[in-house]
Amino acid sequence: MRLLAALSGGVDSAVAAALAVEAGHDVTAVHLALSEAPATLRTGSRGCCSKEDARDAARVADVLGIPFYVWDLADRFREDVVDDFVAEYAAGRTPNPCLRCNERIKFAAVLDRALALGFDAVVTGHHARLADGVLRRSVDDGKDQSYVLAVLTPEQLAGTVLPLGHLTKDEVRALAADRGMGVADKPDSHDICFIADGDTAGFLRDRLGAQPGPVVDALTGAVVGQHGGAYAYTVGQRRGLALTVPAPDGRPRYVLSVEPVSRTVTVGPGEALDTSVVRGDRPQWLDPRPLPLECDVQLRAHGAVHRCVVHEDAGGWRLELATPARGIAPGQAAVLYDGDRVLGSATLG
Amino acid sequence: MAYLDHAASTPMLPEVVDTVTAALRDSLAAAGNASSLHTAGRRARRVVEESREQLAAALGTRPSEVVFTASGTESDNLAVKGIWWARRAADPRRTRILASAVEHHAVLDAVEWLVSHEGATVEWLEVDHEGRVHPDVLREAIERDPSDVALVTVMWANNEVGTVQPVRQLSDVAHEHGIPLHSDAVQAVGQLHVHVATSGVDALTLTGHKFGGPLGVGALVLGRDVACVPLLHGGGQERDVRSGTLDTPAVAGLAVAAALAVERQPAHHARLSALRDDLVRRVRGAVPDAVLNGPDGVDRLPGNAHFSFPGCEGDSLLLLLDARGVEVSTGSACSAGVARPSHVLLAMGAKEDDARSSLRFSLGHTSTTADVDALVEALPAVVERARKAAWR
Ligand SMILES: Cc1ncc(COP(=O)(O)O)c(C=O)c1O
């Protein structure tokens, strides 16, 4: 096959490309330049798309002896991922930008262009298994990324090759070292790639400005503090609430809801966060099953798996959870699994 | 493989490879630093000075006016910054730089640096739709206030679209007001008749790897009476204006390459222009809506052709041609591999989309009709595919 390997400059995509080359495919590499003002050097495990990452990616392509190009997607990334991220927070939701990037950039703009240029598929270093249109969790539970790929359509998956799903992260690093790749011991990237210092609240404050409002106790209805912007709060959050009135029962309080119009952040005891019924909007099947359906569901990246029954509900899903889930944040995805097999996904409302 | 990117780097001439390897082998017997006083040092010095004479003779200048450097980029930086500093030191009013809007980044960014760090001001001289600076544009810019101009810098020929500038007329205008003119002749040496004395320029940049010499060696031809503050301080090896022990084999290779390139230039020009005209004609035949950028007439580097392919992106075309063994360039500089719309095309009045849809084909001493055949054969299908792959 003619494959287009997306090289981030990290170890996973490097090994994915290497395995594709070794499997005999005709592989061309691209690095996606997503940041408008790339930093020269990478800072620890944070951020991505620095010039150093671009150079590391180019080095990997050189070692593999494959062509290497840089595609400038900074404008699109800003519009489709960063602006969307800010708008979602402003609306009181908690978006997952990696998921959005996969859905709109990597497996949309890039895949479309690759197919138009005559490639058969795109190869990435995501940790998940994909064969015959069936998406499964990685064998490495800790690194599994099937959750952020579950939003892809069957057509998108048909143009995707994921060579790493049957490898653990340690095995991936060992394969990179065996091949003399300098990125073998490069730290994993964490957090949100476009917030290099990890300060999400500060990032949002810079873009949305100060929007002070009250923090209200759900039990008493009393105003128990002031905040500088509701967008800095996520359902389930416990730290940084800056309450001025202690809780009557002396127990910790959590964010229960964020209401952007009145700028109200409501807090309350942990058990008030427990939900047994959640709603999924814009559902999408990879492996269609009749409803109602009993299966597993994951409600956030690296989150716990709950047993549930999925019901049809006004064009969306109503998920009845067997065990309550705590702190479900609107905007994240509900991903249905049958064992390690991804069935479909919806956006938590 | 069809290599159509000689403007980026052209293969070394076989005679140059011989010269460099012989000089390297000589250094096995005696490692010579051209600044040392012993026999080995004298031998190295002799190579350097003979090379200086050879280069000077080839370019119509005096040996004492040749300053060896490590690249075209270094020569451009030395000329722009060094002459600016010296002119301002002589008269603090002189801070204005007049530079063509189509300079290479080695000049452009050096000028920008003087503006952002040293209090220089710059006036970018506008070009016509073929990329040419008209002498009256320069005259008008100077006459606004001749007393505050530090220097003029206009390249001999443009690296993207091949436009040849009227350097002689421009230097005449500058000299009417006693202002020095620097010209980046990196693309011109070997392709055009470059004779420093008759051109009137006060400083001229060249680099080995564009005319069959080694990589990593260049020169600034700097008039004896042109004051220039050094960038690099140290041993003052090159006329006290450039320090650093010279790479003797590379310097020898540079001089031999210059001598051969200049000797062969008339025949080279004739052969390349014919090949290039054939390329242009056949590209237009293969892709009827392709638009040739730059001059259609004589004032163009003989090895240069530059086209916009409407509806395509330059980087898609490059990828697709590369996959078919045809090596070309989008012509414009990139930052971390990201192609930017060319400032040259924008200055010539192109729209951003057209600037992004362009490719440069550049021919050189190893180019043959087979290279053009390979390009023309691949092009129609490549253009068709690239159109479909345009970002939506
Ligand atoms: C017009 C022009 N000036 C300067 C340079 C820089 O020369 P060098 O690569 O030797 O630094 C180049 C080459 O890329 C060029 O084309």
Side-chain angles (χ1 to χ4, degrees), chain A residues 252-329:
Chain A
R253 279 174 293 182
Y254 298 80
V255 174
L256 302 185
S257 68
V258 177
E259 213 295 294
V261 177
S262 62
R263 300 176 177 179
T264 304
V265 173
T266 304
V267 299
E271 57 275 12
L273 280 170
D274 290 346
T275 356
S276 296
V277 179
V278 294
R279 187 179 159 78
D281 294 319
R282 281 172 281 122
Q284 218 243 138
W285 289 105
L286 285 181
D287 184 352
R289 304 279 172 102
L291 297 184
L293 167 72
E294 186 177 354
C295 64
D296 292 337
V297 64
Q298 186 177 327
L299 301 165
R300 69 164 75 99
H302 311 295
V305 168
H306 298 266
R307 200 70 194 151
C308 75
V309 179
V310 187
H311 299 273
E312 161 76 40
D313 182 8
W317 290 340
R318 190 178 73 254
L319 306 168
E320 291 169 359
L321 307 180
T323 49
R326 177 159 285 196
I328 298 308

Side-chain angles (χ1 to χ4, degrees), chain A residues 157-199:
Chain A
L157 288 176
T160 301
V161 174
L162 305 176
L164 301 190
H166 57 279
L167 297 168
T168 65
K169 183 77 185 205
D170 290 343
E171 288 168 336
V172 169
R173 288 196 183 284
L175 290 174
D178 288 348
R179 284 156 183 75
M181 289 176 162
V183 293
D185 56 2
K186 192 167 167 175
D188 285 0
S189 45
H190 294 298
D191 302 319
I192 296 167
C193 72
F194 52 86
I195 305 181
D197 60 4
D199 177 11

